[in-house]
Amino acid sequence: MMRKHFFFRTLFCSALLAAALTVPALAADITVKIDDQPVSFTDARPVVRNNRTYVPFRAIFEQMGAAVDWDNQSQTVIANRDGREVRLQLGKTDVRITEDGSTDILATDAAPFAENNRTYVPIRFASQALGACVDWVQDSQTVLIVDVQKLLGSQTETYANMDAYLAFARALGNQAVSGTATVNLDYNTAMGILPVHMTGTISGSKNAAASQVSGALTMDTAALQSAIQKNEGEGKINAEIQTLLQHLGSTSYQAIVSRQDGKLYLSGVLAEELGGSSGGWLSVPISDLAGAEMGHILSATAQQKFSDYIAVMAQQASLKDTPDAAVAAVRSYISTLQQTYGDSAWTGTGAEKTLNTLALSIRLQYGAANTVESVRLNSRDMASSVTQTMDGCEVTLSQHTPKGSTLSVALSLTATTNGSAPSIRPSGDITPIILP
C-alpha cells in the first residue's frame, strides 16, 4: 500500500504546477474513460468551471471501486478504498487524505461545488487521490484515467535491494551535517566566459526527505574581474560592477535539497544574481543537476517502499499518444521500471550488490547484519556521483549546461546523529530557473 508521502511529493505538487485538467471554457461534450472504458453519466454530465474539469463525484469514485459517502453537516464528499480515505469539502480547495492513521491536508486550486442537486469534484485531484494516472486529450476532449493501484496489485517483482537502500536512508534519521563545498561555474554570457569559482562551508541537517544547510562562500573575484576586463576592456569595471564583485566576494547562502519535492532551493546574493527575487529563493530540479535517473532515485528516498516510487512514476506516465490503449501504456511503463530496478536485475552476492541501468549505477555495501552500510550512485550521462555512509556524504557533479556553461560541484560532509528535522521547502517567493 502506498504511503501518504506519495501524494504530498508528486501528485499535488506537480498538479499545482500543471493545474487541474485545463480545457477551453467553451469545451464540447467531455468524454471520461477509466481503464479504457467510457464512464456513463446518466443524469449529470462533466462540466467546466474556471478552466477546470469537474464530474459528479459518485460516477468517478464508484467506478474506481471506492465506497462513497456524503456528510451533509460538513458538506463533505468521502471516498474510502483499500484503507485510504479521501475527503473533499464544498467550497474548500484542501483535500484530506488519511492512511495508516495519519492525515495529510493538501492544497489544490480547485474546490468542489454543488449545482442542480449534484456535487461536482475536480476530476484530476479526485482520481489521483485514489492512485490513478490522469491525462487530457485536447483533440477529442477526453479525460483518460488509469487505475495504477489496480495494475500494481498484480505485480510479482520484488525490490529487496531497493527497499534496503531506502531503509538505509531512513535509518540515518535526522543528522547534523558540516563540511566544505567547491563550486566552479564557467558562465557562458554575451561578454564571454565568466569564471564563477567559489569555496565555502556547509552546516545544517538532513534526513531521508531533505537537507537544509547554510554557510559562507568566498569567490575568486580577481579571476572574474580579469575575465570582464579581457572581454569588455578596462573601462567596463565601473562602480556598479565593483559593488557586485564585493557582494560576491564573500557571501552567505541558504539551501534546501528537497528529495521529497525533487528540487534544490537556493537563497542568497548569488541566487539573486541568477534571477531570484530579493530575499527569495531559486528552485532547480535535482534531475537538472545530477541527471534525470539519479534525480529520481535520490528523490525515491522520501518513500517508505520502492513500490511507492513505482506508483509515483506510473502516475506521471503520458497517455496522450495511446488514448485507446491507456491501460497498456501504463502497464508497459510499470513493466519497464520493474525490469530496471527489480531484484532480478541486480548482480553480486554477499556484501556487495550492483545495479547497472542505461544512465545510472547503484552499488550497495551490506554489513554483517545484512543491512546496507554505504551507497554509491554514479550517473553516466551527467558525470555525477553520490557516496553516502552512516558518517557522511561525498557528492560530485559535473556537466555542460544547455547554454554552453560548465558546472562542477564537490561537497564533503561529515554527519552526526541527533540533528534537527530539516525543512522540506522554503517559505517566501520561489523562482524556478533553467541552468545558464
Side-chain angles (χ1 to χ4, degrees):
M1 183 183 298
M2 292 191 304
R3 308 289 296 185
K4 62 190 181 72
H5 302 292
F6 158 63
F7 302 104
F8 188 73
R9 185 180 73 83
T10 299
L11 294 184
F12 288 86
C13 289
S14 63
L16 281 171
L17 294 176
L21 228 48
T22 301
V23 297
L26 299 177
D29 236 9
I30 296 170
T31 299
V32 177
K33 289 184 178 181
I34 297 180
D35 294 340
D36 294 333
Q37 300 301 312
V39 177
S40 176
F41 297 95
T42 56
D43 58 351
R45 299 283 306 167
V47 298
V48 176
R49 293 291 184 274
N50 299 321
N51 290 330
R52 307 292 185 261
T53 301
Y54 290 79
V55 292
F57 75 91
R58 288 190 182 275
I60 292 300
F61 284 141
E62 291 181 349
Q63 185 83 10
M64 295 183 67
V68 184
D69 201 359
W70 167 255
D71 184 339
N72 193 58
Q73 182 174 359
S74 63
Q75 300 285 283
T76 300
V77 174
I78 306 169
N80 284 278
R81 191 179 79 159
D82 298 332
R84 183 182 305 130
E85 180 186 85
V86 178
R87 288 175 172 255
L88 300 96
Q89 188 175 7
L90 287 187
K92 304 291 186 181
T93 56
D94 290 345
V95 178
R96 297 173 64 93
I97 300 174
T98 301
E99 189 173 18
D100 297 335
S102 183
T103 298
D104 272 335
I105 301 176
L106 304 168
T108 75
D109 61 354
F113 66 90
E115 185 173 276
N116 297 326
N117 294 321
R118 293 290 180 271
T119 299
Y120 292 83
V121 294
I123 190 170
R124 179 179 289 276
F125 294 126
S127 303
Q128 287 182 325
L130 286 179
C133 176
V134 185
D135 214 339
W136 167 254
V137 182
Q138 176 70 28
D139 291 345
S140 62
Q141 299 283 281
T142 300
V143 179
L144 300 173
I145 300 172
V146 175
D147 193 341
V148 172
Q149 286 303 288
K150 185 187 297 183
L151 295 179
L152 290 174
S154 61
Q155 69 172 327
T156 58
E157 183 63 80
T158 58
Y159 305 99
N161 290 302
M162 291 305 301
D163 283 344
Y165 159 62
L166 300 185
F168 165 79
R170 293 196 307 276
L172 298 177
N174 295 324
Q175 291 187 308
V177 295
S178 61
T180 60
T182 300
V183 180
N184 293 314
L185 172 62
D186 290 324
Y187 194 177
N188 188 18
T189 71
M191 69 175 67
I193 297 294
L194 298 182
V196 181
H197 298 165
M198 298 174 288
T199 58
T201 59
I202 302 174
S203 64
S205 60
K206 72 180 184 70
N207 59 21
S211 300
Q212 181 179 12
V213 297
S214 61
L217 290 171
T218 300
M219 180 184 292
D220 183 358
T221 55
L224 182 57
Q225 180 170 325
S226 177
I228 294 174
Q229 290 172 333
K230 178 181 178 181
N231 292 313
E232 297 294 299
E234 294 285 342
K236 293 298 182 179
I237 306 296
N238 56 26
E240 182 180 357
I241 293 179
Q242 287 285 5
T243 300
L244 173 61
L245 291 173
Q246 289 176 3
H247 285 166
L248 294 176
S250 181
T251 185
S252 60
Y253 70 92
Q254 298 181 69
I256 296 174
V257 181
S258 179
R259 287 173 286 280
Q260 183 163 295
D261 288 354
K263 294 179 181 179
L264 164 68
Y265 300 101
L266 181 66
S267 180
V269 172
L270 181 60
E272 293 175 14
E273 292 302 321
L274 289 173
S277 61
S278 178
W281 295 76
L282 293 181
S283 72
V284 182
I286 294 175
S287 58
D288 284 0
L289 295 167
E293 192 168 359
M294 182 180 281
H296 289 318
I297 294 302
L298 289 172
S299 296
T301 60
Q303 307 299 323
Q304 296 288 324
K305 297 182 298 182
F306 195 73
S307 57
D308 295 353
Y309 167 82
I310 297 290
V312 167
M313 297 305 294
Q315 284 197 265
Q316 299 178 64
S318 175
L319 308 178
K320 292 182 177 67
D321 294 334
T322 56
D324 297 321
V327 172
V330 175
R331 182 181 287 116
S332 175
Y333 190 76
I334 291 172
S335 177
T336 298
L337 293 174
Q338 291 172 335
Q339 294 171 20
T340 301
Y341 298 106
D343 289 329
S344 59
W346 288 73
T347 60
T349 58
E352 185 173 300
K353 295 184 180 179
T354 303
L355 176 68
N356 290 305
T357 73
L358 291 176
L360 181 71
S361 70
I362 306 174
R363 188 191 70 188
L364 304 180
Q365 193 73 34
Y366 283 83
N370 200 34
T371 57
V372 173
E373 291 185 341
S374 70
V375 175
R376 182 174 177 82
L377 307 176
N378 283 296
S379 174
R380 304 180 193 280
D381 56 350
M382 301 289 275
S384 57
S385 68
V386 177
T387 301
Q388 188 167 13
T389 67
M390 300 294 288
D391 300 321
C393 183
E394 301 287 334
V395 179
T396 62
L397 305 172
S398 180
Q399 65 161 288
H400 295 281
T401 71
K403 295 186 178 180
S405 302
T406 300
L407 173 69
S408 65
V409 179
L411 310 177
S412 180
L413 300 176
T414 299
T416 58
T417 57
N418 301 320
S420 58
S423 297
I424 300 299
R425 64 188 59 83
S427 59
D429 293 337
I430 299 174
T431 304
I433 66 162
I434 299 174
L435 289 177

